Amino acid sequence: MIKSRAILKILFLTPSPKGEGWGEAIKKQFLELPSKFFFTALFSLTVAQLFSQGTYIPLNTDHYRIMDRMSVQYGKALPVFATSMKPYSRKLVAEYMQSLGKENIIGNKRFNADISYEYVENSEWLQDTVIKSKRPLWKVIYPEPANMFAVNSKGFILKVNPVLHFQLGGQPNSEELKFTNTRGVELRGYIKKKIGFYTYFTDSQQKNMGYVQQAIVDDEAVPGEGYYKDGFKETGVDYFTARGYVVFNVLDCLDFSFGHDKHFWGNGIRSLYLSDYGNNYLFLKMQLNIWKISYTNLFTEMIGTYDRGADQLLPKKYGAFHHLNINATHWLDIGLFEGVIFEREDGFELQYLNPIIFYRAIEQSLGSPDNVLIGLDYKANIARTLQLYGQFVFDEFNLGQIKAANGWWANKIGIQTGMKYIDMFTIDHLDFQAEFNWARPYTYSHNTIGTSYTHYNQALAHPLGANFWELIFKMNYQMLPSLNARATVMYAVKGTDNPGENWGGNIFLPNTDPTTGAFTIMQEYGNEVTQGVKQNIALFDLLISYELRHQLFFDFNMAVRSLTSEEPSQNNTQSYFGVAMRVNIPYRGYWF
């Protein structure tokens, strides 16, 4: 065991920089502790007593569609965990599915197929149930239907799977071949079912639709990814994807996870809080589930806005987020959200580590240098077929200015409202979702580039940023357990800028000039949603998937996107047709 004296030597008794006194050196070392050790310290302090805990189900997989249905149809009889906090725990999903059986909730064959799908995927958390393949290859390959390789010993569980995505397609009137080529591996496991771990790694080469490739050039970022190399096959990109974390439990109701991944907070197609549109980031998450309360803390280290170039240390920024979900009744959930984005030269701001403080009060006491958001959300299930949900986010606002209805620029507000209709027209597994999103100009932006609500040159919330309204619809029909069709329709109107202007749609632009401190906004009053250069975006995306065996999909995909602008040179219509094979990887739609 390392003694306290040895720790002091490691932390403080290091050579003093030239010309720097020991007092200043010690002070500097201490100030740097937040950025170097705060995740590690919290991790170490919580390993003393552990309980069983599961890893998380990757975002955008079919599990979330199944859980949506279960939440609406059976939430009153058996309340589900807080569905607004994604990703979901495999352990909680498995326990919920088995609870349906224990409560004698019986459905049709399609219902049983959904249950079986979750059983197969999360078999390590089933009680008194063993799921094995009927004919494993050489008795080693795919011993379980969902896992290519598996170890199930008393103290150690390991699941290993390949990750593959091969897609070919094209656009009419273009000879350029569009493709995706992804290869990798996914691994998860548990040590004595007390500590869970997960890692995912892929290598991808991709050449996508023209508007996606243009977004990569404009934003200097691949949607949903981090570092990349451009110029692959002239206009394509080449990148790695790496995610990984550990999960453990200090109390039966308190979970901790630490690693690199992304999160989605909300019940909609979009999120105005945190979405999975951007890259992964370093995080420490604490989640409390007790009584009718689910309370989540998320502390993150992110990458600030940067220009691509030679190898360099990318600028760091930090985030801290809280979400409180209250299951007010069996059919109604109410949530409260707050988040803060900040940058510090000496690391993480320790005052934001308080897991229950009101961040706005702390931010004010520090001199109001940071970007604080607060929000309210809800989810209501009605008649076992309908769910209503929504989010309200307040970046900055002044009640007096709102009452005056004068279009004050700093009333930065976002609104989401939506509905899910399960078994539409009494057709089994025909599900419909409609959603409206709206964000005023300058929402998510801040005084400096570093405190904008962004990460790795991408938005943390809605991919359209701010100064827009949007309608988005999704129709999903699972005709057979192995055959699924999904259509997504989006129509949005967004205000953009001419060069040198700031009408509030580009959340990366600072609200003030870093040199003079003067406002960079175009006007203080009279601001309206979609002001500036107005763009109309219409998009249709169709996916038909056949699941040959568990997590092996063959896809047909088509997409049409039309953009019309007040600047005629921006007008553009594109279409795409393609086929794909996917193994253990979700379909990715580029809906922006």
Side-chain angles (χ1 to χ4, degrees), residues 244-265:
Y245 55 82
V246 292
V247 188
F248 49 95
N249 202 286
V250 292
L251 296 172
D252 194 35
C253 58
L254 181 62
D255 303 336
F256 278 72
S257 54
F258 171 70
H260 269 90
D261 208 340
K262 58 183 73 176
H263 303 80
F264 188 100
W265 288 10

Side-chain angles (χ1 to χ4, degrees), residues 164-165 543 545 551-553 555 580-587:
L164 301 171
H165 186 194
L543 173 69
S545 291
Q551 290 293 332
L552 170 59
F553 297 93
D555 299 337
M581 182 193 77
R582 293 182 290 119
V583 180
N584 295 306
I585 189 171
Y587 171 77

